[in-house]
Amino acid sequence: MTLDKTARTEQRRFADDPHRPRYHFLPEENWLNDPNGLIHWNGEYHLFYQYNPAGPFHGTIHWGHAVSMDLVHWRHLPVALVPDPGTADEDGCWSGVAVDDNGVPTLIYSGNRDGEQRACLAISNDGMLTWQKHPNNPVIPAPPEHLHLAQYRDHTVWREDDAWYQLMGAGLEGEGGAALLYRSQDLRSWEFLHPLLVGDAQRFTPIWTGTMWECPDFFALQGRHVLTISVWDHGQLHYSAAMVGDYRDYHFFPEVEHKLDYGDRHFYAPQSFTDAQGRRIIFGWIHEGRGAEAQLQSGWSGVMSLPRLLSLGTDGQVCMQPVPELEALRGEHTHTAAIDMPAGDEIVLPAVTGDTLEVLVELAPAESGRCGIVVRRSPDGAEATRILYDATQHQLIVDRTQSSQDLATDHNAHVAPLSLRPDEPLRLHIFLDRSVLEVFANMREAITSRIYPTRGDSLGVALLAEGAQARLVSLDAWQLRSTWEA
Ligand code: DQQ
């Protein structure tokens, strides 16, 4: 990342912070939440995000803005949207999207006023450096009258059959989350059509979808349609979910429904976009896993996930993989050849150590027991984060029970269903960036997590088999470079 003077000052300020990521995107300081307005414009990737310049937990939400040529190295740009007193967004510029309106970059976002959110619009005439809000904001002044809405905000907008279409996230009293479909000719005047889909808060299988769907996103993928939502309930952020199915006559017929990432609120409010190469790329907000006081003291909160490429897996589910551009971060490489992993002991890999690592590991599990890899391990094993495949339970687990001796940080395990076929190896692709851990397994599951080891020597990597012998097929590890150095 090329840094201006302010950014350099911030980097010096945080130089001794052992939890601050080195290659994930985050603002120079203070609060980040949802990715917004993702768009590939004139060869540059634009990332807007929910940003609170007053610090974690105080003040109003703005739109931060950054730009990148390669999805990896970002340059901070001036704050894009600031709440304006006396207008529809005076209490915050909440989440939304960017579209190309015949050459004019246009934002649709939720203006927040007096606890209500309404669709607002802003355009840019100078290549997205400054934004002019529409004088008649909000462009959708009120929700549909006949619906009993408990919640109403967030947007996705697309072009179809010579018109613009929009989904707004909602919660219907006594029913569940919903995505409300609107149509417009000009992005400024919107006609409500009907709910594209309504959830059922009383249904718990295959997953529960809560009482409100935040940040709906809707797009075509490999001949099918995907709706992603963020599951909200009475102020609690739960997880992001994906539904895959067919879109016909302005209705959506989902057939497959699953959690998008099993790190729950550590991959929340995701938003995706299509780049010039036709790739569908998604970012999510990686929530903190430590208390409010620790966030206030650190001076920053919230991290953007790595960009992930979306595809449909052989199981019909949405699959996320880190984009190949991330290979640009690779530094020193180590390869570990095949070895047997007897049940019981952890096998420390002395050549692989650090807190900013990419690891590609292939293991042959037994038919029972657990095997995996340990990261951020102190030499005595007192702190350790275990990433394990449980062959009996058919689960991938990020075990955080010993991740930190700071008991005020999250210690629960994250668990994803994962059934390997007979003879199918466990293939883990792991990105460790100090307090951030992103794990991708077998082109199927993802677990994003946060860990806060307290010890400076919690840098070790080890292999682990429990209950049955396993085998390491191969392990490649790279030290990853910081994107914060010029
Ligand atoms: N965050 C935004 C809302 C969205 C929520 C406000 C999801 O627009 O519903 O910052 O994290």
Side-chain angles (χ1 to χ4, degrees), residues 250-424:
Y250 306 106
H251 285 90
F252 180 52
F253 303 93
E255 289 163 16
V256 176
E257 189 177 278
H258 61 98
K259 282 193 188 180
L260 195 51
D261 187 302
Y262 285 81
D264 295 341
R265 67 183 175 141
H266 299 300
F267 188 80
Y268 196 77
Q271 186 177 108
S272 68
F273 70 107
T274 303
D275 76 354
Q277 299 169 47
R279 302 181 301 173
R280 194 80 195 177
I281 295 166
I282 193 166
F283 286 85
W285 164 34
I286 303 182
H287 201 291
E288 294 295 318
R290 53 183 170 169
E293 191 51 41
Q295 294 173 52
L296 280 167
Q297 272 177 16
S298 72
W300 61 276
S301 173
V303 181
M304 198 58 72
S305 76
L306 295 175
R308 302 169 178 191
L309 200 55
L310 292 179
S311 61
L312 289 184
T314 47
D315 52 4
Q317 300 198 353
V318 177
C319 168
M320 300 189 288
Q321 290 298 298
V323 298
E325 283 93 329
L326 292 162
E327 290 176 15
L329 294 171
R330 288 177 177 174
E332 188 190 328
H333 170 242
T334 49
H335 175 77
T336 308
I339 44 169
D340 285 329
M341 298 160 52
D345 293 338
E346 293 187 353
I347 305 170
V348 175
L349 303 175
V352 187
T353 170
D355 59 4
T356 49
L357 292 173
E358 177 186 356
V359 182
L360 270 172
V361 60
E362 191 168 313
L363 300 174
E367 285 174 9
S368 62
R370 313 206 298 180
C371 67
I373 183 167
V374 188
V375 297
R376 299 298 317 254
R377 182 186 189 279
S378 60
D380 61 1
E383 284 190 330
T385 298
R386 298 185 173 85
I387 304 161
L388 296 169
Y389 173 63
D390 187 319
T392 313
Q393 302 292 327
H394 306 289
Q395 288 174 337
L396 178 72
I397 302 158
V398 172
D399 178 354
R400 301 190 294 176
T401 50
Q402 272 180 270
S403 291
S404 175
Q405 291 179 337
D406 177 355
L407 297 179
T409 60
D410 286 0
H411 279 71
N412 61 309
H414 290 131
V415 180
L418 181 65
S419 287
L420 298 180
R421 293 180 291 273
D423 299 327
E424 181 185 7

Side-chain angles (χ1 to χ4, degrees), residues 196-197 224 244-249 251-256:
L196 180 82
L197 194 67
R224 306 223 76 192
V244 183
D246 292 325
Y247 173 55
R248 285 191 305 273
D249 303 324
H251 285 90
F252 180 52
F253 303 93
E255 289 163 16
V256 176

